[in-house]
Amino acid sequence: MDQLPAALERAGNAESWTVADAVSRVLENSEELHSWRRCLLSACMKGLVAMYSTSKDESKPEVERSMLQRLEELLHMVGAVDPDDWYSLVKAGLKYRYRDEVFLEVLNVAIQLLYKKESSL
């Protein structure tokens, strides 16, 4: 389970995300769930950065869309991000996906969530 977040960071690794979802269901009522979701959020952001950096055009739009949807869900659950991960995502996303409507919508939601008054960022 410790190596799973690193596997999730690789661009387009859908099978690992299926396993991560199963682990999340197992941890549903445990104290470790929040920590696990923070790891998933970080891995999701790093995976999107890797995807944007290696594929400067949208060669896998369905994979990107599912990752962006997952990012939005995790942001709602966790409510905070690692500042370095956030910086990398915003930088790569705006550099390579500044015309992608779905990316911009998720970015807007993320900004609203992360930059409210009581946010840690």
Side-chain angles (χ1 to χ4, degrees):
M1 187 167 111
D2 294 336
Q3 286 92 22
L4 187 56
L8 296 171
E9 293 173 15
R10 286 182 288 229
N13 197 344
E15 297 83 17
S16 294
W17 282 103
T18 304
V19 174
D21 290 339
V23 171
S24 294
R25 284 190 295 278
V26 169
L27 294 175
E28 192 61 44
N29 293 316
S30 81
E31 296 174 7
E32 298 173 22
L33 182 60
H34 188 72
S35 174
W36 174 247
R37 285 182 175 159
R38 286 185 67 90
C39 289
L40 292 180
L41 178 60
S42 178
C44 184
M45 292 170 59
K46 289 175 181 174
L48 282 165
V49 169
M51 200 177 303
Y52 294 160
S53 299
T54 59
S55 176
K56 299 186 181 5
D57 61 340
E58 284 187 74
S59 61
K60 298 179 183 177
E62 65 284 340
V63 175
E64 284 186 26
R65 303 252 185 290
S66 70
M67 290 287 288
L68 286 166
Q69 181 181 12
R70 184 176 300 275
L71 174 67
E72 186 174 349
E73 291 170 5
L74 288 166
L75 281 168
H76 280 285
M77 289 184 240
V78 175
V81 297
D82 177 74
D84 293 332
D85 292 342
W86 174 245
Y87 171 78
S88 297
L89 176 68
V90 172
K91 182 180 176 184
L94 290 175
K95 183 174 183 179
Y96 299 116
R97 299 297 188 270
Y98 64 93
R99 292 184 179 169
D100 181 9
E101 186 176 332
V102 177
F103 167 76
L104 294 173
E105 288 172 2
V106 172
L107 180 63
N108 185 39
V109 168
I111 289 170
Q112 299 303 318
L113 284 170
L114 296 173
Y115 291 96
K116 58 187 176 187
K117 281 188 180 183
E118 59 272 2
S119 177
S120 64
L121 197 58

